[in-house]
Amino acid sequence: MLRKSLLLALVTLPVLAAPTFADALADVDPFIGTGGDGHTFPGATLPFGMVQLSPDTDMPHFHHAYGWAAGYRYSDHSILGFSHTHFSGSGHSDLGDVLLMPMSGELHLDPGAKDQPGSGYRSRFSHQSERASPGYYAVTLDDNQVKVELTAGKRVGWHRYTFAEGAEARVLLDLRPSIYDYDGKVLWSSLRLRPDGVLTGMRQTRGWAPGRQLFFAMRFSKPLKGHQLLNREQNVSYRGFKGPGHNPGDVAAISGRALEAALDFGPLNSPLLVKVAISSVSEQGALDNLGKEAPGWDFDGAKTAAQAQWQKALGAIDIKAPAPIRRSFYTALYHALIAPNLASDADGRYRGPDQEVHQAKGFDFYSTWSLWDVYRAQQPLLTILEPKRMGELVSSLVAAQQSSPFGILPVWSYQGQETWCMIGYHALPVIADAYLKGITGFDSAAALKAMVASADYGPYGDLSDYIKLGYVPIDKEPEAASKTLEYAFDDWTLARMASAMGKDALAKRFFKRAGNWQNVFDRQTGFARARLSNGDYRTPFDPAAVGYGSDYTEGNAWQYSWYVPQDIAGLINAMGGQSAFVNKLDAVFDTKVDPKTFAHVEDISGLIGYYAHGNEPSHHMAYLYDYAGAPWKTQERLTTIMNSQYHDGPSGLAGNDDLGQMSAWYLFTAMGFYPVAPGSNQYVLGRPFVEEASIRLPGGKRFVVKAEHLDDAHPYVGKVLLNGKALATSYITHQDLVAGGTLTFVMQQIPNKNWATGPASRPYSLSR
């Protein structure tokens, strides 16, 4: 696997033939991001699929689990098993449901120690035997003497196990471990071996989303020769009365909090196939998903179908670029298309945030909403690449609000359940951005009603004081400066949508709230700061201080004071004008910062000065020079970020991919533009890092980005042409993009300090 930096890759840019879908598929490397802090997984899934079937190298206690947020870490040398649910790139985590481990020889019921091979069912493996591509994963388990192959359908995971000739074939199902594990996490679980050999079950956990229920149905291609259903829970004060059967092999059903199933198939002369369907609704829902989606035993057919779906999805963008950049680009596209995840069964039923079962009518219900992250770029990307699905995503958000016990939109939810993680009410920009871009397929009136209900729900994040005072007081609510800034942006997106729908009074109310950022911006220090209920700024104040319980969320004043995407012109004025703004932004990138300053905060990484590319609050900052008439500085900063924060190896992501946000930033930036303020319908121009990108649009249209003279010696934009005409603005509109056409960047050696510098050339700001 190549690990050259983008800087080296840009030295030579050969002219490449127009790529095909198959080229894009072959360029994806699912191991990118599985080392370091990327927290991605290499296993099999479909675009936005319910199943993410992947190897787990460890599931440690949650105090030590950050590095295994996706269950897999490239530096490990043994595999615990293969589970069916994973997050792609999250910082916090959960899941790892329905863990299967094949083995031959002696039966082991416990995983054993990582540093003691042979002490349990855990098995050593070599990266040399691993193969991963979209929709497929394979590895040889050295200790267990089994070749494992995995593929996936929308709601079904497929396993193919090839055992050594004459070996006793066994499969262990362990319902005890979870990603981000702790004692007592499993509230209840059950197993049932049905007369036709199908194994069904469920478990309920109190993890990130308390009380989450997951059901499954598992079918085998070979008849069972024997089985044991075991409850390994210790120190139970009362177990009730004994059921039928004298040993675990006599038992057909079992329930408890520490269940395992040991399944014996005897010697096999051909591979054993296992199909596992999941459901958040019921065992019957899982059985129906299994029957409807995987009626036969054609593993290779399922693999081919999975690859075909990825071929279509990845074919949304064709690029010309050197091989390392192609690998980074198409892997980023792959990661950006994994979530949100399907959460409704084949019959449309799903479990909502009220823990009740609901019926989706006319749309598939999706969950896994890392909204604090993905509203910035990943969701805007889907408005371009997946407009039909985007309508279903908005319908899913509204449906979740309608069944929420609190009556508000999701904050950070998965499998229909709320975690309350992170801050803001960022479903609003997702919905508003979709509506303002003309996305259809959802009830806009119901969506606006849901947005207002969320923005006015006083108990959430001290919105009651925010509405009354115009800011969140730090003596009432932690991280108050960040919350005020983010609420104000969300309010602006609601105002934009209300205005477009002709709701003028509503728009006026929320445009006023969109200006609340000014209530926490201290002109004397030049930073956004938290205030007390009496109006005073909290003291003492150190703009470099960072930590949980501070004025800011996963950041400090240097990082958060720029978070006014809706009104950068107003921020420029508050900072003392254009020159002062640029100088201070330069200081963000150029200040020498000791990395130990952030060592105690897991989610801050990818440092360039105070700029932290591994965390989302920094993601728009390099583009802000465009708003101050210095677009060449945006180009310089983007070159530094792309060359230092991404490469095509396992540690090729500087921070958590966060359900595709880090990857979406890369995709937009590589093509030369970025949605700084979702809801503005504008993309702010940077500089391209690929020679050509062709985006497929509905109706057979294409939007093509070309970069002339692109190489390491020509890092600056000399001029930009849209459909052959010189572009004077440092942005393009969504309407420009979806109309189809060609955006041409002419690159040069030195900065062009005359292009797009005037006030009329700059992107949208509320106060301009």
Short mmCIF file of all heavy atoms in Angstrom, two decimals, residues 372 479 481-482 485-486 526-530 541-548 550-563 584 587-588 591-601 603-604 607-612 615 617-618 620-621:
data_model
loop_
_atom_site.label_atom_id
_atom_site.label_comp_id
_atom_site.label_asym_id
_atom_site.label_seq_id
_atom_site.Cartn_x
_atom_site.Cartn_y
_atom_site.Cartn_z
N TRP A 372 -23.83 16.91 14.39
CA TRP A 372 -22.87 17.98 14.68
C TRP A 372 -21.73 17.97 13.66
O TRP A 372 -21.10 19.01 13.42
CB TRP A 372 -22.31 17.77 16.09
CG TRP A 372 -21.42 18.87 16.59
CD1 TRP A 372 -21.79 20.09 17.05
CD2 TRP A 372 -19.99 18.81 16.71
NE1 TRP A 372 -20.68 20.81 17.46
CE2 TRP A 372 -19.56 20.04 17.25
CE3 TRP A 372 -19.03 17.85 16.42
CZ2 TRP A 372 -18.23 20.33 17.51
CZ3 TRP A 372 -17.70 18.14 16.68
CH2 TRP A 372 -17.31 19.36 17.22
N GLU A 479 -20.15 24.87 28.18
CA GLU A 479 -19.83 25.07 26.76
C GLU A 479 -20.73 26.14 26.13
O GLU A 479 -21.13 26.07 24.98
CB GLU A 479 -19.93 23.75 26.00
CG GLU A 479 -19.02 22.67 26.57
CD GLU A 479 -19.24 21.29 25.98
OE1 GLU A 479 -20.12 21.15 25.09
OE2 GLU A 479 -18.55 20.35 26.39
N ALA A 481 -20.42 29.30 25.18
CA ALA A 481 -20.03 30.11 24.01
C ALA A 481 -20.27 29.34 22.73
O ALA A 481 -20.84 29.86 21.76
CB ALA A 481 -18.56 30.52 24.14
N SER A 482 -19.84 28.07 22.70
CA SER A 482 -20.05 27.25 21.51
C SER A 482 -21.53 27.08 21.22
O SER A 482 -21.97 27.14 20.06
CB SER A 482 -19.41 25.87 21.69
OG SER A 482 -18.00 25.97 21.77
N LEU A 485 -23.08 30.18 19.60
CA LEU A 485 -22.66 30.33 18.20
C LEU A 485 -23.38 29.33 17.30
O LEU A 485 -23.85 29.68 16.21
CB LEU A 485 -21.15 30.15 18.09
CG LEU A 485 -20.28 31.21 18.78
CD1 LEU A 485 -18.82 30.77 18.81
CD2 LEU A 485 -20.41 32.56 18.08
N GLU A 486 -23.48 28.09 17.74
CA GLU A 486 -24.08 27.07 16.89
C GLU A 486 -25.59 27.22 16.81
O GLU A 486 -26.20 27.01 15.75
CB GLU A 486 -23.68 25.68 17.39
CG GLU A 486 -22.19 25.45 17.28
CD GLU A 486 -21.80 23.98 17.28
OE1 GLU A 486 -22.63 23.13 16.90
OE2 GLU A 486 -20.65 23.68 17.66
N GLY A 526 -11.26 40.24 21.19
CA GLY A 526 -11.32 39.72 19.83
C GLY A 526 -11.67 38.25 19.77
O GLY A 526 -11.39 37.59 18.76
N PHE A 527 -12.31 37.73 20.81
CA PHE A 527 -12.68 36.31 20.85
C PHE A 527 -14.14 36.15 21.26
O PHE A 527 -14.69 37.00 21.99
CB PHE A 527 -11.81 35.55 21.86
CG PHE A 527 -10.38 35.40 21.46
CD1 PHE A 527 -9.40 36.22 22.02
CD2 PHE A 527 -9.99 34.45 20.52
CE1 PHE A 527 -8.07 36.08 21.67
CE2 PHE A 527 -8.66 34.30 20.16
CZ PHE A 527 -7.69 35.12 20.73
N ALA A 528 -14.75 35.06 20.81
CA ALA A 528 -16.05 34.66 21.35
C ALA A 528 -15.83 34.10 22.74
O ALA A 528 -14.93 33.28 22.96
CB ALA A 528 -16.69 33.62 20.45
N ARG A 529 -16.66 34.55 23.68
CA ARG A 529 -16.49 34.16 25.08
C ARG A 529 -17.84 33.86 25.72
O ARG A 529 -18.88 34.38 25.29
CB ARG A 529 -15.80 35.28 25.87
CG ARG A 529 -14.39 35.59 25.42
CD ARG A 529 -13.82 36.76 26.22
NE ARG A 529 -13.83 36.48 27.65
CZ ARG A 529 -13.52 37.39 28.58
NH1 ARG A 529 -13.19 38.63 28.22
NH2 ARG A 529 -13.56 37.07 29.87
N ALA A 530 -17.81 33.05 26.75
CA ALA A 530 -19.04 32.75 27.49
C ALA A 530 -19.35 33.87 28.47
O ALA A 530 -18.45 34.48 29.06
CB ALA A 530 -18.90 31.43 28.23
N PHE A 541 -9.95 34.44 31.79
CA PHE A 541 -10.10 34.02 30.40
C PHE A 541 -8.75 33.75 29.77
O PHE A 541 -7.86 34.59 29.81
CB PHE A 541 -10.83 35.10 29.60
CG PHE A 541 -10.86 34.83 28.12
CD1 PHE A 541 -11.56 33.74 27.63
CD2 PHE A 541 -10.19 35.67 27.23
CE1 PHE A 541 -11.60 33.48 26.26
CE2 PHE A 541 -10.24 35.42 25.87
CZ PHE A 541 -10.93 34.32 25.38
N ASP A 542 -8.61 32.56 29.22
CA ASP A 542 -7.40 32.17 28.50
C ASP A 542 -7.86 31.61 27.15
O ASP A 542 -8.46 30.53 27.11
CB ASP A 542 -6.62 31.12 29.28
CG ASP A 542 -5.39 30.61 28.52
OD1 ASP A 542 -5.11 31.12 27.42
OD2 ASP A 542 -4.72 29.69 29.04
N PRO A 543 -7.60 32.31 26.05
CA PRO A 543 -8.12 31.84 24.75
C PRO A 543 -7.55 30.51 24.31
O PRO A 543 -8.13 29.84 23.44
CB PRO A 543 -7.71 32.96 23.79
CG PRO A 543 -6.58 33.66 24.45
CD PRO A 543 -6.85 33.57 25.92
N ALA A 544 -6.43 30.09 24.91
CA ALA A 544 -5.83 28.81 24.53
C ALA A 544 -6.34 27.65 25.38
O ALA A 544 -6.09 26.49 25.05
CB ALA A 544 -4.31 28.88 24.65
N ALA A 545 -7.06 27.94 26.46
CA ALA A 545 -7.50 26.89 27.36
C ALA A 545 -8.52 25.99 26.67
O ALA A 545 -9.41 26.45 25.94
CB ALA A 545 -8.10 27.50 28.62
N VAL A 546 -8.40 24.70 26.92
CA VAL A 546 -9.32 23.73 26.33
C VAL A 546 -9.56 22.63 27.34
O VAL A 546 -8.69 22.27 28.12
CB VAL A 546 -8.74 23.15 25.02
CG1 VAL A 546 -7.45 22.40 25.27
CG2 VAL A 546 -9.74 22.25 24.31
N GLY A 547 -10.75 22.09 27.34
CA GLY A 547 -11.06 21.01 28.26
C GLY A 547 -12.55 20.88 28.45
O GLY A 547 -13.32 21.80 28.16
N TYR A 548 -12.96 19.73 28.90
CA TYR A 548 -14.37 19.49 29.11
C TYR A 548 -14.89 20.36 30.25
O TYR A 548 -14.23 20.57 31.26
CB TYR A 548 -14.60 18.01 29.41
CG TYR A 548 -14.18 17.13 28.25
CD1 TYR A 548 -13.04 16.34 28.34
CD2 TYR A 548 -14.91 17.12 27.06
CE1 TYR A 548 -12.63 15.55 27.27
CE2 TYR A 548 -14.52 16.33 26.00
CZ TYR A 548 -13.38 15.54 26.10
OH TYR A 548 -12.98 14.76 25.04
N SER A 550 -15.50 23.54 29.78
CA SER A 550 -15.03 24.89 29.52
C SER A 550 -16.13 25.68 28.80
O SER A 550 -17.27 25.24 28.68
CB SER A 550 -13.77 24.86 28.67
OG SER A 550 -14.08 24.51 27.33
N ASP A 551 -15.74 26.85 28.29
CA ASP A 551 -16.69 27.68 27.54
C ASP A 551 -17.01 27.10 26.17
O ASP A 551 -17.97 27.53 25.53
CB ASP A 551 -16.10 29.08 27.33
CG ASP A 551 -15.93 29.86 28.63
OD1 ASP A 551 -16.30 29.32 29.70
OD2 ASP A 551 -15.42 30.98 28.57
N TYR A 552 -16.22 26.11 25.73
CA TYR A 552 -16.28 25.65 24.35
C TYR A 552 -16.42 24.13 24.26
O TYR A 552 -16.06 23.40 25.18
CB TYR A 552 -15.02 26.09 23.58
CG TYR A 552 -14.70 27.54 23.77
CD1 TYR A 552 -13.79 27.96 24.74
CD2 TYR A 552 -15.34 28.52 23.01
CE1 TYR A 552 -13.51 29.30 24.95
CE2 TYR A 552 -15.07 29.86 23.21
CZ TYR A 552 -14.16 30.25 24.18
OH TYR A 552 -13.89 31.58 24.38
N THR A 553 -16.92 23.68 23.15
CA THR A 553 -17.10 22.25 22.89
C THR A 553 -15.93 21.74 22.07
O THR A 553 -15.73 22.16 20.93
CB THR A 553 -18.40 22.00 22.11
OG1 THR A 553 -19.50 22.51 22.86
CG2 THR A 553 -18.60 20.51 21.85
N GLU A 554 -15.13 20.86 22.67
CA GLU A 554 -13.99 20.26 21.95
C GLU A 554 -13.17 21.32 21.22
O GLU A 554 -12.85 21.19 20.04
CB GLU A 554 -14.48 19.21 20.96
CG GLU A 554 -15.09 17.99 21.63
CD GLU A 554 -15.51 16.92 20.65
OE1 GLU A 554 -15.22 17.04 19.44
OE2 GLU A 554 -16.13 15.95 21.09
N GLY A 555 -12.82 22.38 21.92
CA GLY A 555 -12.04 23.42 21.30
C GLY A 555 -11.76 24.55 22.26
O GLY A 555 -12.09 24.49 23.45
N ASN A 556 -11.15 25.61 21.76
CA ASN A 556 -10.88 26.79 22.57
C ASN A 556 -11.29 28.03 21.80
O ASN A 556 -11.87 27.94 20.71
CB ASN A 556 -9.41 26.83 23.00
CG ASN A 556 -8.44 26.94 21.82
OD1 ASN A 556 -8.82 27.33 20.71
ND2 ASN A 556 -7.19 26.57 22.05
N ALA A 557 -10.98 29.20 22.35
CA ALA A 557 -11.40 30.45 21.73
C ALA A 557 -10.75 30.67 20.37
O ALA A 557 -11.37 31.24 19.46
CB ALA A 557 -11.08 31.62 22.66
N TRP A 558 -9.52 30.21 20.21
CA TRP A 558 -8.84 30.36 18.93
C TRP A 558 -9.57 29.58 17.82
O TRP A 558 -9.57 29.99 16.66
CB TRP A 558 -7.40 29.86 19.03
CG TRP A 558 -6.46 30.86 19.62
CD1 TRP A 558 -5.97 30.88 20.89
CD2 TRP A 558 -5.90 32.00 18.96
NE1 TRP A 558 -5.13 31.96 21.07
CE2 TRP A 558 -5.07 32.67 19.89
CE3 TRP A 558 -6.02 32.53 17.68
CZ2 TRP A 558 -4.37 33.82 19.58
CZ3 TRP A 558 -5.32 33.69 17.37
CH2 TRP A 558 -4.50 34.33 18.31
N GLN A 559 -10.16 28.48 18.19
CA GLN A 559 -10.82 27.64 17.20
C GLN A 559 -12.29 28.02 16.99
O GLN A 559 -12.80 27.95 15.88
CB GLN A 559 -10.70 26.17 17.62
CG GLN A 559 -9.27 25.67 17.56
CD GLN A 559 -8.98 24.54 18.52
OE1 GLN A 559 -9.81 24.16 19.34
NE2 GLN A 559 -7.78 23.99 18.45
N TYR A 560 -12.97 28.43 18.05
CA TYR A 560 -14.41 28.63 17.96
C TYR A 560 -14.83 30.05 17.60
O TYR A 560 -15.97 30.28 17.20
CB TYR A 560 -15.09 28.21 19.26
CG TYR A 560 -16.00 27.02 19.07
CD1 TYR A 560 -15.65 25.77 19.54
CD2 TYR A 560 -17.22 27.15 18.39
CE1 TYR A 560 -16.47 24.67 19.35
CE2 TYR A 560 -18.04 26.06 18.19
CZ TYR A 560 -17.67 24.82 18.67
OH TYR A 560 -18.48 23.75 18.47
N SER A 561 -13.95 31.01 17.75
CA SER A 561 -14.34 32.41 17.51
C SER A 561 -14.66 32.69 16.05
O SER A 561 -15.19 33.76 15.72
CB SER A 561 -13.25 33.35 18.01
OG SER A 561 -13.09 33.23 19.41
N TRP A 562 -14.35 31.76 15.17
CA TRP A 562 -14.61 31.93 13.74
C TRP A 562 -15.93 31.30 13.32
O TRP A 562 -16.27 31.34 12.14
CB TRP A 562 -13.47 31.30 12.93
CG TRP A 562 -12.13 31.76 13.42
CD1 TRP A 562 -11.34 31.17 14.36
CD2 TRP A 562 -11.44 32.94 13.03
NE1 TRP A 562 -10.19 31.90 14.57
CE2 TRP A 562 -10.23 33.00 13.75
CE3 TRP A 562 -11.71 33.96 12.10
CZ2 TRP A 562 -9.31 34.03 13.61
CZ3 TRP A 562 -10.80 34.99 11.95
CH2 TRP A 562 -9.61 35.02 12.70
N TYR A 563 -16.65 30.74 14.28
CA TYR A 563 -17.84 30.01 13.90
C TYR A 563 -19.07 30.93 13.78
O TYR A 563 -19.95 30.96 14.64
CB TYR A 563 -18.14 28.85 14.86
CG TYR A 563 -19.18 27.97 14.23
CD1 TYR A 563 -18.83 27.09 13.22
CD2 TYR A 563 -20.51 28.09 14.55
CE1 TYR A 563 -19.78 26.35 12.56
CE2 TYR A 563 -21.47 27.35 13.90
CZ TYR A 563 -21.10 26.49 12.91
OH TYR A 563 -22.05 25.76 12.23
N LYS A 584 -5.34 37.91 12.20
CA LYS A 584 -5.70 36.98 13.27
C LYS A 584 -5.89 35.57 12.73
O LYS A 584 -5.52 34.59 13.38
CB LYS A 584 -6.97 37.46 13.98
CG LYS A 584 -7.26 36.69 15.26
CD LYS A 584 -8.14 37.50 16.19
CE LYS A 584 -8.17 36.88 17.56
NZ LYS A 584 -8.77 37.78 18.57
N ALA A 587 -2.66 34.03 12.36
CA ALA A 587 -2.12 33.61 13.65
C ALA A 587 -2.65 32.23 14.05
O ALA A 587 -1.94 31.46 14.71
CB ALA A 587 -2.45 34.64 14.72
N VAL A 588 -3.88 31.94 13.67
CA VAL A 588 -4.43 30.61 13.96
C VAL A 588 -3.55 29.53 13.37
O VAL A 588 -3.21 28.54 14.04
CB VAL A 588 -5.87 30.48 13.41
CG1 VAL A 588 -6.34 29.03 13.52
CG2 VAL A 588 -6.82 31.39 14.15
N THR A 591 0.77 30.18 14.60
CA THR A 591 1.24 30.14 15.98
C THR A 591 1.84 28.77 16.31
O THR A 591 1.28 27.74 15.94
CB THR A 591 0.09 30.45 16.96
OG1 THR A 591 -0.40 31.76 16.70
CG2 THR A 591 0.57 30.37 18.40
N LYS A 592 2.98 28.76 16.96
CA LYS A 592 3.59 27.51 17.39
C LYS A 592 2.86 27.01 18.64
O LYS A 592 2.86 27.67 19.68
CB LYS A 592 5.08 27.70 17.69
CG LYS A 592 5.88 28.23 16.50
CD LYS A 592 5.82 27.28 15.31
CE LYS A 592 6.65 27.81 14.15
NZ LYS A 592 6.53 26.93 12.95
N VAL A 593 2.25 25.86 18.52
CA VAL A 593 1.44 25.32 19.61
C VAL A 593 2.02 23.98 20.04
O VAL A 593 2.28 23.10 19.21
CB VAL A 593 -0.03 25.14 19.17
CG1 VAL A 593 -0.85 24.50 20.29
CG2 VAL A 593 -0.63 26.48 18.78
N ASP A 594 2.22 23.83 21.33
CA ASP A 594 2.69 22.56 21.87
C ASP A 594 1.54 21.55 21.81
O ASP A 594 0.48 21.79 22.40
CB ASP A 594 3.14 22.75 23.32
CG ASP A 594 3.76 21.49 23.92
OD1 ASP A 594 3.65 20.41 23.30
OD2 ASP A 594 4.35 21.59 25.01
N PRO A 595 1.71 20.44 21.09
CA PRO A 595 0.62 19.45 21.00
C PRO A 595 0.14 18.96 22.35
O PRO A 595 -1.00 18.50 22.48
CB PRO A 595 1.26 18.31 20.21
CG PRO A 595 2.37 18.94 19.43
CD PRO A 595 2.88 20.04 20.32
N LYS A 596 0.98 19.07 23.39
CA LYS A 596 0.58 18.62 24.72
C LYS A 596 -0.59 19.45 25.25
O LYS A 596 -1.31 19.01 26.16
CB LYS A 596 1.76 18.71 25.68
CG LYS A 596 2.90 17.75 25.36
CD LYS A 596 4.06 17.90 26.35
CE LYS A 596 5.19 16.95 26.01
NZ LYS A 596 6.35 17.13 26.94
N THR A 597 -0.78 20.65 24.67
CA THR A 597 -1.89 21.50 25.09
C THR A 597 -3.22 20.78 24.93
O THR A 597 -4.16 21.00 25.69
CB THR A 597 -1.91 22.80 24.25
OG1 THR A 597 -0.65 23.47 24.40
CG2 THR A 597 -3.03 23.72 24.68
N PHE A 598 -3.29 19.91 23.92
CA PHE A 598 -4.54 19.22 23.60
C PHE A 598 -4.48 17.73 23.91
O PHE A 598 -5.39 16.99 23.52
CB PHE A 598 -4.88 19.42 22.12
CG PHE A 598 -5.07 20.87 21.73
CD1 PHE A 598 -4.05 21.56 21.09
CD2 PHE A 598 -6.24 21.52 22.01
CE1 PHE A 598 -4.21 22.89 20.74
CE2 PHE A 598 -6.42 22.86 21.66
CZ PHE A 598 -5.41 23.54 21.03
N ALA A 599 -3.45 17.28 24.58
CA ALA A 599 -3.26 15.85 24.80
C ALA A 599 -4.37 15.23 25.63
O ALA A 599 -4.67 14.05 25.51
CB ALA A 599 -1.90 15.60 25.46
N HIS A 600 -5.01 16.04 26.48
CA HIS A 600 -6.05 15.50 27.37
C HIS A 600 -7.43 15.51 26.73
O HIS A 600 -8.41 15.11 27.36
CB HIS A 600 -6.08 16.31 28.67
CG HIS A 600 -6.44 17.75 28.48
ND1 HIS A 600 -5.62 18.64 27.80
CD2 HIS A 600 -7.52 18.47 28.88
CE1 HIS A 600 -6.18 19.84 27.80
NE2 HIS A 600 -7.34 19.76 28.44
N VAL A 601 -7.52 15.97 25.48
CA VAL A 601 -8.81 16.01 24.77
C VAL A 601 -8.71 15.08 23.57
O VAL A 601 -7.98 15.35 22.62
CB VAL A 601 -9.15 17.45 24.31
CG1 VAL A 601 -10.54 17.48 23.69
CG2 VAL A 601 -9.08 18.41 25.49
N ASP A 603 -10.56 14.28 21.00
CA ASP A 603 -11.07 14.56 19.67
C ASP A 603 -10.36 15.70 18.95
O ASP A 603 -10.77 16.06 17.84
CB ASP A 603 -12.57 14.86 19.73
CG ASP A 603 -13.38 13.62 20.08
OD1 ASP A 603 -13.35 12.68 19.29
OD2 ASP A 603 -14.01 13.60 21.14
N ILE A 604 -9.35 16.30 19.54
CA ILE A 604 -8.64 17.39 18.87
C ILE A 604 -7.33 16.86 18.33
O ILE A 604 -6.45 16.44 19.08
CB ILE A 604 -8.42 18.57 19.83
CG1 ILE A 604 -9.77 19.16 20.25
CG2 ILE A 604 -7.57 19.64 19.16
CD1 ILE A 604 -9.67 20.33 21.19
N LEU A 607 -3.22 19.08 14.12
CA LEU A 607 -2.93 20.48 14.42
C LEU A 607 -2.01 21.13 13.39
O LEU A 607 -1.00 20.57 12.99
CB LEU A 607 -2.29 20.59 15.80
CG LEU A 607 -3.20 20.31 17.00
CD1 LEU A 607 -2.38 20.26 18.28
CD2 LEU A 607 -4.29 21.37 17.10
N ILE A 608 -2.39 22.32 12.96
CA ILE A 608 -1.56 23.24 12.20
C ILE A 608 -1.70 24.57 12.93
O ILE A 608 -2.66 25.31 12.72
CB ILE A 608 -2.01 23.37 10.73
CG1 ILE A 608 -2.03 22.01 10.05
CG2 ILE A 608 -1.10 24.35 9.98
CD1 ILE A 608 -2.66 22.03 8.66
N GLY A 609 -0.77 24.88 13.83
CA GLY A 609 -0.99 25.98 14.75
C GLY A 609 -2.14 25.62 15.66
O GLY A 609 -2.19 24.53 16.23
N TYR A 610 -3.11 26.53 15.79
CA TYR A 610 -4.32 26.22 16.55
C TYR A 610 -5.37 25.54 15.68
O TYR A 610 -6.35 25.00 16.20
CB TYR A 610 -4.92 27.49 17.16
CG TYR A 610 -4.25 27.92 18.43
CD1 TYR A 610 -3.58 29.14 18.51
CD2 TYR A 610 -4.29 27.12 19.57
CE1 TYR A 610 -2.96 29.55 19.69
CE2 TYR A 610 -3.67 27.51 20.74
CZ TYR A 610 -3.01 28.72 20.80
OH TYR A 610 -2.40 29.10 21.97
N TYR A 611 -5.20 25.61 14.38
CA TYR A 611 -6.13 24.93 13.48
C TYR A 611 -6.05 23.43 13.74
O TYR A 611 -4.97 22.85 13.76
CB TYR A 611 -5.77 25.24 12.03
CG TYR A 611 -6.66 24.53 11.02
CD1 TYR A 611 -7.86 25.11 10.61
CD2 TYR A 611 -6.28 23.31 10.47
CE1 TYR A 611 -8.67 24.47 9.68
CE2 TYR A 611 -7.09 22.67 9.55
CZ TYR A 611 -8.28 23.25 9.15
OH TYR A 611 -9.09 22.61 8.24
N ALA A 612 -7.22 22.79 13.95
CA ALA A 612 -7.27 21.35 14.26
C ALA A 612 -8.14 20.67 13.22
O ALA A 612 -9.36 20.59 13.36
CB ALA A 612 -7.82 21.12 15.65
N ASN A 615 -10.92 17.92 13.87
CA ASN A 615 -12.17 18.22 14.57
C ASN A 615 -12.96 19.27 13.78
O ASN A 615 -12.40 20.24 13.27
CB ASN A 615 -11.88 18.73 15.98
CG ASN A 615 -13.03 18.48 16.91
OD1 ASN A 615 -13.81 17.55 16.72
ND2 ASN A 615 -13.16 19.31 17.94
N PRO A 617 -15.07 21.90 14.14
CA PRO A 617 -15.17 23.36 14.22
C PRO A 617 -14.13 24.11 13.39
O PRO A 617 -14.32 25.29 13.09
CB PRO A 617 -14.98 23.63 15.72
CG PRO A 617 -15.51 22.41 16.38
CD PRO A 617 -15.09 21.28 15.48
N SER A 618 -13.04 23.44 13.01
CA SER A 618 -12.02 24.11 12.19
C SER A 618 -12.28 23.99 10.69
O SER A 618 -11.61 24.67 9.90
CB SER A 618 -10.63 23.52 12.50
OG SER A 618 -10.20 23.87 13.80
N HIS A 620 -14.17 24.94 8.29
CA HIS A 620 -14.47 26.01 7.34
C HIS A 620 -13.41 27.11 7.33
O HIS A 620 -13.43 27.99 6.47
CB HIS A 620 -15.82 26.65 7.69
CG HIS A 620 -15.81 27.40 8.99
ND1 HIS A 620 -15.50 26.82 10.21
CD2 HIS A 620 -16.06 28.71 9.27
CE1 HIS A 620 -15.57 27.72 11.17
NE2 HIS A 620 -15.90 28.88 10.63
N MET A 621 -12.46 27.05 8.26
CA MET A 621 -11.63 28.22 8.53
C MET A 621 -10.71 28.61 7.39
O MET A 621 -10.50 29.81 7.13
CB MET A 621 -10.84 28.00 9.82
CG MET A 621 -11.73 28.06 11.05
SD MET A 621 -10.94 27.48 12.57
CE MET A 621 -9.53 28.55 12.66
#
